Amino acid sequence: MGSRKNINPFILFFIILLLWQCKEKEEDDIRMITFQGSQVQRLSDSYAHFSVLDSLSYGSLMIHDGDLVSTDEFYFSIRGDLLDTLRFKRLDSLMYINGDLAGISISKDGPPLSFFEQLSTDEISHLRTIQFVKPIWDSIKPYLEKIAHLNPTVDICYISEIDSISLLNKDLFWLSKYFKPKVLLLGNETDSISFSSLTKFPSLESVMTSLPINGDGYFPHLPHLKDLVLGNNENSIPLGSEFFREIADLESLTIIVEESANIDWTSLDKLKNLRKLSIETDSIILNDIYGHHPHLQSLHLGVYNEGVSISDIFNKNKLKWLSLYPADEFLIWQKSKVLQDSFPELEYLEFENKDSLLDYRNFKNIKKLKYLVIQSEVGLDSTLHNLDHLRYLSLSHDFLKDSVNVARLQRALPNTVIAPNSGACLGSGWLLVIIPLAGLWFYFLKPKKSRNL
């Protein structure tokens, strides 16, 4: 007891300072990930895509822990144990990250059963994702049981080429007996039974699925769910006012809907704990977004039709991450002078620019801005030279192909990482790029509008 009374005030202050720094580090989960041998594209504030190349090329992206990343053949979630530099290798139905087996794609083309017989305990422990491109057949189940015993929390991606709801529901029931995934992606059409089956996976933190073709009109309760991605198809039920009633504590929501979708946008008002919101749509109504979502820190809006107003987002708020792809091509130019007043906490800003004369001098007043991504037109690039507080600047690949442009930026911004963006189309088919596998044809391969960046 005496030692407590005599504790050195300096030591006590030092301990408190260390704890506070750790707290701040936990809250700031934005990471710069370098993908070696890859071409990378950020497609929303929660999702990115990369293509594995047989070259020494590389790309860097700002990514949150928990974001989903996809390749041409695989998807996986970013976790804290991943290094900041990732080296990928794809070998038929397998994906390797930094030399470790990270993904298995089970399809009619492989892997053979002999591969599963030779899987070591160490390989299974490093496995991050298993995806099913065909329904689960009986002969492979013993091997999957072994994987589940050693690594039950591996991500599950079900994108069967056979689009059968009954087979999906049968396989979900079987998987729920052995696996405890934190991430589940369903690329096939779902129904009310599929949604009910989700409750058999109480460990789920992230779910990606389409709206079901029938049901009670609400998403089932999952005690640990943080992140939900919703798409729709022509047979989907409407997203009504009670859809989120059982998951009101949701922290991250992504909605990708077609013009014909019936969405009650007031349903989002129940999500008082929302931190991240990403919407791709033809029409949207967001009233008092910061009032209904007082903890919102990340917002992505992609709106295809002109005349849809999103100007209300330029009210004072606590956003740290903003990504805008409005149909109104002059929105950023019109609002550039009020950015610093509306977004005093902003650290990441991404937008599609169609104004070749856009002036960035007002961006200097966004004091906390660290990451700036400008798609399409660069604008008046000389006015970017004043933004010496940036850590990361991404401009069009065409602009940065000119070595003179690069040299000027590097001289003006010596402490800034300058990286090309590939002009990813963020139109209504952007998930076709994120998850470009055959099982998603029911939604993503239908004719859609797209932006020409």
Side-chain angles (χ1 to χ4, degrees):
M1 293 293 292
S3 62
R4 291 187 181 180
K5 292 181 180 179
N6 297 325
I7 188 170
N8 189 308
F10 177 79
I11 295 177
L12 179 61
F13 173 77
F14 185 73
I15 292 172
I16 293 173
L17 180 62
L18 285 177
L19 292 173
W20 181 256
Q21 288 177 333
C22 291
K23 177 179 180 294
E24 288 187 329
K25 186 175 182 181
E26 288 177 359
E27 291 178 352
D28 185 10
D29 64 346
I30 299 176
R31 301 172 60 192
M32 182 183 293
I33 301 289
T34 298
F35 298 79
Q36 289 188 342
S38 306
Q39 181 185 43
V40 294
Q41 302 171 333
R42 169 155 291 285
L43 298 169
S44 84
D45 62 342
S46 298
Y47 301 95
H49 173 78
F50 70 90
S51 298
V52 179
L53 307 175
D54 295 325
S55 70
L56 298 178
S57 64
Y58 70 94
S60 297
L61 280 179
M62 311 317 301
I63 288 182
H64 296 90
D65 282 342
D67 282 357
L68 293 179
V69 176
S70 71
T71 73
D72 296 329
E73 299 292 341
F74 287 92
Y75 97 100
F76 63 97
S77 57
I78 295 293
R79 305 175 190 168
D81 61 330
L82 275 176
L83 300 177
D84 289 339
T85 299
L86 305 180
R87 184 180 69 259
F88 293 88
K89 179 181 179 181
R90 190 176 68 242
L91 182 62
D92 296 328
S93 300
L94 310 175
M95 177 180 69
Y96 293 84
I97 300 179
N98 294 345
D100 294 324
L101 179 65
I104 300 175
S105 180
I106 300 175
S107 68
K108 62 181 180 181
D109 299 321
L113 292 180
S114 58
F115 164 81
F116 292 96
E117 293 172 352
Q118 299 169 10
L119 267 181
S120 69
T121 300
D122 185 63
E123 287 176 315
I124 293 175
S125 67
H126 285 99
L127 194 61
R128 293 178 176 273
T129 182
I130 302 176
Q131 57 190 37
F132 299 92
V133 190
K134 64 175 294 185
I136 304 172
W137 63 99
D138 290 339
S139 60
I140 202 173
K141 288 181 178 179
Y143 303 103
L144 293 175
E145 290 178 27
K146 178 183 177 181
I147 293 174
H149 177 72
L150 297 172
N151 188 357
T153 61
V154 64
D155 297 346
I156 299 295
C157 175
Y158 193 98
I159 44 178
S160 174
E161 293 174 337
I162 302 176
D163 193 18
S164 166
I165 294 180
S166 61
L167 289 176
L168 165 66
N169 293 339
K170 178 182 176 182
D171 287 345
L172 282 177
F173 178 76
W174 186 87
L175 288 167
S176 69
K177 293 191 296 183
Y178 301 98
F179 288 91
K180 299 178 181 179
K182 294 183 179 180
V183 178
L184 176 65
L185 185 152
L186 302 179
N188 293 76
E189 197 170 53
T190 60
D191 65 2
S192 58
I193 297 176
S194 312
F195 266 40
S196 297
S197 297
L198 296 178
T199 60
K200 301 182 185 298
F201 298 93
S203 58
L204 283 175
E205 296 180 4
S206 299
V207 174
M208 189 174 191
T209 182
S210 64
L211 290 164
I213 62 173
N214 54 51
D216 297 326
Y218 65 88
F219 196 89
H221 176 69
L222 294 173
H224 301 290
L225 186 67
K226 298 178 181 178
D227 183 15
L228 177 61
V229 182
L230 290 171
N232 77 307
N233 59 61
E234 59 185 5
N235 298 317
S236 290
I237 64 170
L239 198 161
S241 60
E242 296 298 311
F243 186 82
F244 299 105
R245 74 182 192 192
E246 300 295 327
I247 52 170
D249 290 333
L250 196 67
E251 295 181 4
S252 176
L253 174 64
T254 299
I255 298 178
I256 313 103
V257 292
E258 298 180 273
E259 183 178 5
S260 58
N262 186 357
I263 304 293
D264 184 344
W265 294 107
T266 64
S267 61
L268 276 61
D269 296 348
K270 292 182 172 62
L271 303 177
K272 300 300 183 183
N273 201 38
L274 206 61
R275 265 72 172 170
K276 298 169 65 177
L277 177 61
S278 182
I279 298 175
E280 291 277 334
T281 184
D282 285 288
S283 180
I284 185 173
I285 300 174
L286 294 177
N287 293 320
D288 192 19
I289 183 172
Y290 306 120
H292 291 300
H293 311 295
H295 303 293
L296 195 65
Q297 294 186 348
S298 178
L299 178 64
H300 166 87
L301 293 179
V303 183
Y304 320 136
N305 285 342
E306 293 185 1
V308 178
S309 175
I310 58 174
S311 60
D312 285 349
I313 68 170
F314 289 89
N315 294 321
K316 193 167 185 178
N317 58 78
K318 300 177 182 179
L319 289 184
K320 292 185 177 182
W321 182 296
L322 176 64
S323 174
L324 288 179
Y325 286 79
D328 182 354
E329 61 185 70
F330 296 109
L331 180 64
I332 296 297
W333 175 80
Q334 293 168 348
K335 299 292 184 178
S336 62
K337 292 183 180 180
V338 300
L339 281 172
Q340 69 271 19
D341 296 325
S342 300
F343 305 98
E345 304 297 321
L346 198 64
E347 297 179 7
Y348 180 104
L349 175 61
E350 175 181 346
F351 60 92
E352 178 189 2
N353 177 42
K354 300 179 182 179
D355 182 5
S356 61
L357 299 178
L358 182 61
D359 190 320
Y360 297 95
R361 281 176 291 189
N362 288 317
F363 286 45
K364 180 72 173 179
N365 297 322
I366 312 176
K367 300 299 183 181
K368 296 186 178 182
L369 188 65
K370 302 174 185 176
Y371 317 109
L372 180 60
V373 179
I374 305 161
Q375 296 275 5
S376 299
E377 290 281 352
V378 172
L380 296 176
D381 59 284
S382 61
T383 61
L384 289 168
H385 296 176
N386 195 40
L387 307 182
D388 54 4
H389 60 309
L390 293 179
R391 294 183 186 176
Y392 177 85
L393 174 63
S394 181
L395 302 171
S396 74
H397 183 270
D398 288 340
F399 178 81
L400 293 181
K401 282 194 304 185
D402 189 328
S403 59
V404 174
N405 292 336
V406 175
R408 288 174 179 170
L409 284 171
Q410 289 178 337
R411 282 197 302 269
L413 308 172
N415 299 317
T416 303
V417 174
I418 299 171
N421 56 62
S422 52
C425 178
L426 286 177
S428 55
W430 65 269
L431 275 183
L432 177 60
V433 186
I434 292 182
I435 310 294
L437 297 165
L440 297 179
W441 78 86
F442 77 91
Y443 165 53
F444 299 114
L445 292 190
K446 290 188 292 183
K448 296 176 181 293
K449 306 183 189 72
S450 63
R451 300 190 188 90
N452 296 317
L453 302 190

